[in-house]
Every structure is written in structure tokens, then in C-alpha cells.
Amino acid sequence: MSSAQPIAQDRAPGGDHPPSRLRQLAAASIGNAVEWYDWYAYSFLAVYFADQIFPKGAGNSLVPLLSTFAVFAVGFFMRPIGGLLMGAVADRRGRRAALTLTILLMGGGSLLVALTPTYAATGVLAPIVLVVARLVQGLSVGGEFAASTTFLVESAGPGRRGLFASFQYVSTTAGQLLAAGTGALLAGLLTEDQMGRWGWRIAFLLGALLSLLGLWIRRGARETLTQEPDAAGAGTAQSAGRPGLFEGLRRYPRQSLLICGITAGGTIAYYTWTTYLPTYAQVNAGFDKGDALTVGTLSLAFFAVLQPLGGLLSDRIGRKPMLLVFALGFAVSAVPLLHLVTDAFVSLLLVQCAGMVLLTGYTSIAAAVNAELFPARVRAAGIGFPYSLTVALFGGTAPYVGTWFKQAGHSDLFPWYVAVICLVSFFVYLALPETAHRPLDKELAHHGS
């Protein structure tokens, strides 16, 4: 029996009073919203700072913007590395330590973007600084899902893991809406010339400041890893048996593959409906650009409201029915729904909201389902790497694949692509055990390992 004392169940760090579950929820959710604000601010404001950082190509005014979005993609593919490294920190040093580190990295990356010099002033140093900033942010956001997912689910009370897990996407959506709103507000208050010269930097400075708020909230949270090292950081069973970097993949290959299968359909549906659909409507149906952004904002707000309802429902009926309805629903309806998109405002709004209802069957419980597959010892890293890799491969490429099909003259194939990936996930969900009502393993389980 270990001599290390359990800390997650009965007291907060530095105090004897029972910890507040609301504080735990706020620590994960507010911090996660700040993370995603910083991440999405880049894509919303790229059109303003592209010319400042990248020189124009000969006769091609799109070169700066294309280069800026190429840097965005580089950050996206840093997410699996972040999921692995930050997940390992969460499993070795504790969830709170990982959450503190991810928000520090995101805030530092956001500050670096805000202070990025112009190409005219420093030449090639400008894009190098921007690339470094996005690499740091990619590491952060990749690790954020692994750490905050684990932290949320382990903080939940009995029969409330689905509800707590749902706040992963509530806060993600809140961050996305905040970034869009901040960009719109700045664009409304400043001239286009002011936005291009210095206005865009305000949004990233705000992100750095918000990161300090998230850091303060997270530092007061309770650790959910139920055993802690001694004061010297060595000599206890935990420090003697810390999990290796790839232990989750090595010891639990089936669970790692399940994470990929669970995520594939969910991430492609998520990025198609929350990110790409307005562009899809513009390109394929001639939808007005301003109206498309309005529809996207309204549907995202609707989506955020649905998440806790989905989480509560899963705590009653289980995770598996929710996942099966989501996947089969998209496999059957993705094609007809996307074909219903016209240039009418109400058509896009109804299609996007209908998809959001189905999508909630995945997003509201993804954190719980993933966390319930792994033991506490390797939970964060076990989730982080396969999840982030699958998101990068299927979710992050969804807008590109959709645009490529259109450019190749086969725009009708993209809905089928979404449907097929969701059908694959449907069969994975059929093979999943129901974990909603099982006790969550909160021990490090180092005995005999």
C-alpha cells in the first residue's frame, strides 16, 4: 500500500475545506475558453495582418494570406505533439500542473503574435517569429484537450461525468464566439488601415491578459490525480513509477485505436458544421458572406446551449445510444442536409442547427467517453496523442478536402465523404462498452506495474 496520501477526494490544496465542484468546472472551462479565443483569433484576424508579416508575391495579392494560413496549418499539426507531451505532464506531475502550463504557453504565444514585427522592419525575422508563436500555441491547444478532459471528468460527482464533460465544448464554443466578437468589434471601431497597422494586435494582447485570468483561476483548483509525490519530488511510489511517454500507446493499443475511431466521425462532422459550412454555402450556393457569418454565430450559440443537455441525458441513458444516434444520423442525413443548402438565409440556419442537434450526441460526451477508456495512470497522454492526431487528419483537413472537391468539379462528393467517415465511427461505437455507470478509475494503479 502506498504511503502517498490521496488529495483529490477530501480537500483542496493548502486547505481543509471540501473543494467546490463549481470552482473545478470554472478552472477547466474558463481556461479552455481563453485557449480557444487565442487560437481562433488568429484565423479571424489573419486577413488584416497578412500583408504586414509576409511580402507579396509577384503579381499575386493572395500570397500573404495563403502564407498566413499555411502557418495556421503548421500550428494545427503541432497538436498531436502537444497532446502527447502535455498529457505526459498531466500524468506525471498532475492535471493542475499541465493546465497551468498549457495556459501559460497559449498566453505567451498570443503575446508573441501581438509583438511580431513587420516584414518591412525586420525582413525574414517577422514570419519566423509568427511561426514560433503558432508552434507554441499548437503545443498548448493540443495539450489542453488532454489535460482539461481528464480534469473535468475526474472532478465530476457521481452520475455527473457526462454533464461535466459537456463543458469542454461549451467553453470551446464560447472562446470561438469571443474571438469572432472581438474581431468584429475592432473592425467596427477602427478603419481598415488602422486594423492593418496596429488594430489586430489588440486582440492578441487581450488574449495574453485573459490567459493571466485563466492562470489565476486554475492555480486555485484542486488536483484530481489522487496521489502526490513527496515534498522532494522523489521517493514515493508515484515518482518511482511515473508512466513513460508512450506507455499509453504501448500498454493500451486497443484503447488508443478506439480513440481514433471514436474521434474520426465526430471531428469531421464538427469542423464541417461549425467551421466550413458557411464557406460551403458561399462556394456551392452563392450564399451572402455576411449572412453566412451571422448564421454561423447564431448556430454556435445554439450549439453551446445544447451541450449540457446532452451531457445530462448521457448520464441517464448512457454514452453509447448518444454516439450511435449521432453517427447513424450523420451517415444517413449528411448528404440530403448539405444538398438542402441554398442561398436563402433560413435554409442555411435550419441545416446548420439540425446538424448541431445530431452533433451534440458526440461533442457533449466525447471527453467522458475518452476518459472512461483509460486508467488514471496514463489517462491524459493516452487520450491526448490519438485524439489530436485524428483531429489533425480528419477535422483539420475538412475545409481543405471540401474546397478540393469543389475545385476538381466534384463538390457533390464531399457530403458523401462526411457520411462515410461517420459510418465508420458508427461501427466503432457498436463495439464500445457502455461506461457511463461504471466507477471511474482515479488511482494511479502503479501497483504491480
Side-chain angles (χ1 to χ4, degrees):
M1 188 172 191
S2 171
S3 60
Q5 298 297 314
I7 65 172
Q9 303 300 321
D10 52 10
R11 67 182 190 271
D16 297 324
H17 300 291
S20 165
R21 295 194 190 280
L22 184 61
R23 180 65 181 257
Q24 295 291 95
L25 198 59
S29 300
I30 295 175
N32 192 52
V34 171
E35 287 265 343
W36 287 99
Y37 165 85
D38 287 341
W39 181 257
Y40 280 114
Y42 183 100
S43 58
F44 288 130
L45 295 168
V47 67
Y48 292 107
F49 64 79
D51 290 346
Q52 299 281 314
I53 310 300
F54 295 96
K56 287 185 173 67
N60 191 343
S61 61
L62 287 178
V63 167
L65 189 58
L66 289 171
S67 299
T68 308
F69 279 118
V71 175
F72 181 82
V74 167
F76 217 104
F77 279 91
M78 286 299 292
R79 288 174 61 174
I81 299 174
L84 182 64
L85 295 180
M86 295 300 104
V89 171
D91 290 333
R92 295 179 180 190
R93 299 290 183 179
R95 319 311 190 199
R96 198 165 58 122
L99 289 171
T100 300
L101 182 55
T102 58
I103 204 163
L104 279 173
L105 286 172
M106 183 58 79
S110 190
L111 181 62
L112 196 56
V113 174
L115 300 178
T116 299
T118 64
Y119 188 86
T122 61
V124 73
L125 179 63
I128 289 176
V129 171
L130 188 65
V131 167
V132 170
R134 283 309 278 184
L135 290 176
V136 170
Q137 289 188 319
L139 281 171
S140 171
V141 82
E144 175 68 18
F145 183 88
S148 64
T149 288
T150 304
F151 180 83
L152 274 170
V153 175
E154 290 176 349
S155 296
R160 286 289 181 264
R161 293 200 301 262
L163 175 61
F164 269 54
S166 71
F167 279 85
Q168 181 74 31
Y169 276 90
V170 171
S171 54
T172 297
T173 305
Q176 189 173 357
L177 288 170
L178 182 60
T182 301
L185 180 63
L186 288 172
L189 293 174
L190 303 175
T191 66
E192 189 163 343
D193 180 63
Q194 289 172 326
M195 280 295 292
R197 285 189 291 112
W198 53 268
W200 60 271
R201 299 181 187 272
I202 295 174
F204 293 102
L205 287 172
L206 176 61
L209 291 174
L210 288 174
S211 295
L212 293 178
L213 171 63
L215 177 65
W216 175 74
I217 293 172
R218 285 184 167 183
R219 285 180 65 84
R222 165 178 52 91
E223 178 56 67
T224 62
L225 194 61
T226 57
Q227 292 171 321
E228 60 183 345
D230 60 14
T236 68
Q238 177 180 346
S239 58
R242 287 181 179 138
L245 189 61
F246 294 98
E247 185 170 328
L249 292 171
R250 179 173 54 81
R251 294 188 60 183
Y252 303 96
R254 179 178 179 273
Q255 286 88 335
S256 298
L257 288 174
L258 281 175
I259 294 285
C260 295
I262 290 166
T263 306
T267 191
I268 195 169
Y270 175 78
Y271 278 95
T272 298
W273 249 258
T274 66
T275 304
Y276 180 59
L277 195 56
T279 303
Y280 178 88
Q282 294 169 44
V283 171
N284 292 281
F287 202 88
D288 179 77
K289 183 178 181 180
D291 287 345
L293 292 174
T294 301
V295 169
T297 301
L298 291 173
S299 61
L300 279 173
F302 174 66
F303 179 66
V305 171
L306 290 176
Q307 300 313 297
L309 301 177
L312 280 170
L313 182 60
S314 80
D315 284 329
R316 283 182 172 271
I317 69 171
R319 320 291 187 223
K320 197 166 178 175
M322 303 276 292
L323 291 170
L324 291 172
V325 169
F326 149 72
L328 188 60
F330 265 103
V332 171
S333 66
V335 174
L337 278 177
L338 290 177
H339 281 152
L340 285 174
V341 174
T342 67
D343 60 356
F345 186 94
V346 70
S347 77
L348 181 58
L349 182 61
L350 289 175
V351 166
Q352 195 149 15
C353 287
M356 297 299 194
V357 173
L358 286 175
L359 186 56
T360 297
Y362 165 79
T363 53
S364 65
I365 60 173
V369 172
N370 291 343
E372 288 163 353
L373 285 176
F374 284 93
R377 175 181 171 81
V378 294
R379 182 172 289 136
I383 293 169
F385 181 72
Y387 172 85
S388 295
L389 180 64
T390 308
V391 169
L393 290 175
F394 293 98
T397 59
Y400 175 83
V401 171
T403 304
W404 181 83
F405 275 131
K406 174 65 177 177
Q407 195 172 35
H410 301 293
S411 58
D412 286 348
L413 291 181
F414 180 69
W416 287 102
Y417 171 70
V418 175
V420 168
I421 300 299
C422 288
L423 186 61
V424 171
S425 284
F426 173 79
F427 288 111
V428 174
Y429 301 152
L430 281 176
L432 278 179
E434 179 56 72
T435 56
H437 308 298
R438 293 182 182 178
L440 182 70
D441 168 38
K442 290 187 176 182
E443 298 298 328
L444 285 175
H446 57 266
H447 304 292
S449 63

